[in-house]
Amino acid sequence: MKAVIQNEFGDSDVLLYTEVELPKIRDKEVLIKTEYTSVNYADIKKRMGNKGKGDFPFTLGLDVAGTIEEVSDGSPFSIGDRVIAFPKAGSYAEYVVANEQLVFKIPDGLSFKQAATAPTVSILAYILIHEIGQVKKTDTIVIHSAAGGVGSMLVQLAKQAGVKKIIGTVGNLNKKGYVKSLGADVVCTYESFVEEVLKLTNNLGANTIFDSVAGEVTSKSLECLALYGTLVQFGNSSGKAGNFKTSDVHSSCRNIKGFSLGTTRKHDPARLADVAEKVLELFASEKIMLPIARVFDLSEAAQAHKLIESRNYEGKILIKV
């Protein structure tokens, strides 16, 4: 089968479109013929070696939408089922193997293309909004990187939950119209958000801040987080660690919560099934959606990575396999 592999860390030129062996399934696994896979910022970090050492050669990619080709004995799935999944060994490939616990049926009427935008970003965003952040209708919330995949979903899910005031931050204000169209009330830059939040809340601050950037954005977020507020930390796209002191939280009764979808897929996969069903139903009923910035062929994975790194896009970037 065709796949994209890499034999070393580096820029997008290390991605090699080549022929590899078809993977084999074990007990409680399924083989899926890939229709689409999405490109996530985590792929960039892994390609460059920012997520630990690599066992070369390896294939990037977190999720797929496709059709089940083979099942093990007693499987809850059948050959021909349309599914999204988090595969075992990357998704930039014509066929992938996934653990049954990380495979979810696509509702009738939802296309592979739209379903492919959903797995990583929408499941993560749903858990962040409803389980980790536990947002309330009366809240003022801040969503950093609001034009990205997870940010786009967080804004829509917060809007759907009836959150009173949604503030989105962007690196460039040319994305302001897009983020507002998703449901944000206010859109500002990383440079101005502290001042904007304090002004909008009479200096009380935001109740919940969703931070996937880390670095300086984390410490600035604490400057405008309300008493009893929650900073939800779920990434570090800046490449730098965010810092805070214990005195930033105990006397103000504020808390910092962390969450990783990758950790949850590995250690508590059963937690994802209900969430996947809910978000896929939201997509199928068109209550939420993710615009597709561009679709690349599998052989064009390097170009897809270059577009992600440019940050000059809105919504999701997909690879058609």
Side-chain angles (χ1 to χ4, degrees):
M1 68 170 184
K2 293 290 188 186
V4 174
I5 64 168
Q6 66 181 89
N7 294 303
E8 60 183 315
F9 293 128
D11 62 23
S12 59
D13 295 340
V14 301
L15 298 177
L16 179 66
Y17 178 64
T18 188
E19 196 83 26
V20 300
E21 281 189 30
L22 197 72
K24 292 181 170 58
I25 66 168
R26 297 177 184 170
D27 189 37
K28 298 195 183 311
E29 292 180 346
V30 298
L31 181 71
I32 300 166
K33 185 180 189 301
T34 306
E35 290 287 336
Y36 290 91
T37 177
S38 72
V39 185
N40 294 281
Y41 200 79
D43 300 346
I44 309 298
K45 291 171 71 175
K46 188 171 181 185
R47 187 201 75 216
M48 294 173 71
N50 294 347
K51 288 179 85 71
K53 57 180 194 273
D55 188 9
F56 299 110
F58 64 76
T59 295
L60 292 172
L62 298 177
D63 53 46
V64 295
T67 307
I68 291 188
E69 288 273 313
E70 189 183 342
V71 297
S72 56
D73 291 343
S75 176
F77 296 98
S78 304
I79 293 169
D81 281 349
R82 301 165 68 249
V83 296
I84 58 167
F86 297 107
K88 278 171 62 178
S91 58
Y92 295 10
E94 289 183 323
Y95 292 88
V96 298
V97 169
N99 183 304
E100 289 172 352
Q101 281 192 299
L102 294 172
V103 181
F104 315 103
K105 289 182 184 178
I106 299 172
D108 294 339
L110 181 62
S111 69
F112 279 126
K113 199 172 182 180
Q114 266 302 316
T117 67
T120 298
V121 294
S122 63
I123 291 173
L124 172 55
Y126 192 95
I127 292 172
L128 292 173
I129 286 279
H130 294 290
E131 297 180 24
I132 312 300
Q134 297 178 345
V135 298
K136 301 189 293 293
K137 289 184 178 181
T138 53
D139 285 348
T140 294
I141 71 170
V142 176
I143 296 166
H144 289 311
S145 194
V150 182
S152 295
M153 287 301 343
L154 285 168
V155 172
Q156 290 181 75
L157 289 168
K159 187 72 175 176
Q160 200 187 53
V163 173
K164 181 181 78 173
K165 185 73 77 175
I166 302 166
I167 302 164
T169 66
V170 290
N172 190 320
L173 279 177
N174 64 11
K175 296 178 180 177
K176 181 176 180 177
Y178 168 68
V179 176
K180 280 206 152 190
S181 75
L182 298 173
D185 300 293
V186 177
V187 181
C188 47
T189 64
Y190 298 118
E191 289 72 38
S192 66
F193 82 88
V194 174
E195 189 183 330
E196 289 276 357
V197 170
L198 292 173
K199 186 170 78 179
L200 287 162
T201 59
N202 293 321
N203 287 320
L204 292 173
N207 305 101
T208 312
I209 299 178
F210 295 93
D211 173 23
S212 61
V213 183
E216 193 181 31
V217 168
T218 299
S219 46
K220 285 173 92 173
S221 295
L222 288 165
E223 292 174 28
C224 60
L225 183 65
L227 295 175
Y228 302 96
T230 301
L231 175 64
V232 178
Q233 217 296 317
F234 64 100
N236 67 327
S237 62
S238 66
K240 296 170 185 161
N243 295 302
F244 65 92
K245 306 184 294 294
T246 52
S247 56
D248 289 330
V249 292
H250 79 268
S251 59
S252 58
C253 304
R254 301 184 299 181
N255 62 87
I256 295 171
K257 290 184 177 181
F259 185 78
S260 160
L261 188 62
T263 301
T264 305
R265 289 196 307 267
K266 184 176 178 182
H267 295 286
D268 192 10
R271 183 175 181 174
L272 304 180
D274 285 348
V275 177
E277 188 178 344
K278 283 172 184 158
V279 297
L280 285 168
E281 199 44 60
L282 288 170
F283 270 89
S285 58
E286 299 183 355
K287 289 177 180 167
I288 58 173
M289 59 85 67
L290 263 179
I292 296 163
R294 191 159 162 200
V295 180
F296 291 88
D297 287 329
L298 185 59
S299 60
E300 300 173 318
Q303 288 99 299
H305 276 224
K306 283 174 183 166
L307 182 54
I308 287 261
E309 289 173 290
S310 77
R311 297 187 186 274
N312 190 26
Y313 67 96
E314 295 166 352
K316 283 297 288 178
I317 293 167
L318 300 181
I319 291 174
K320 175 82 175 82
V321 180

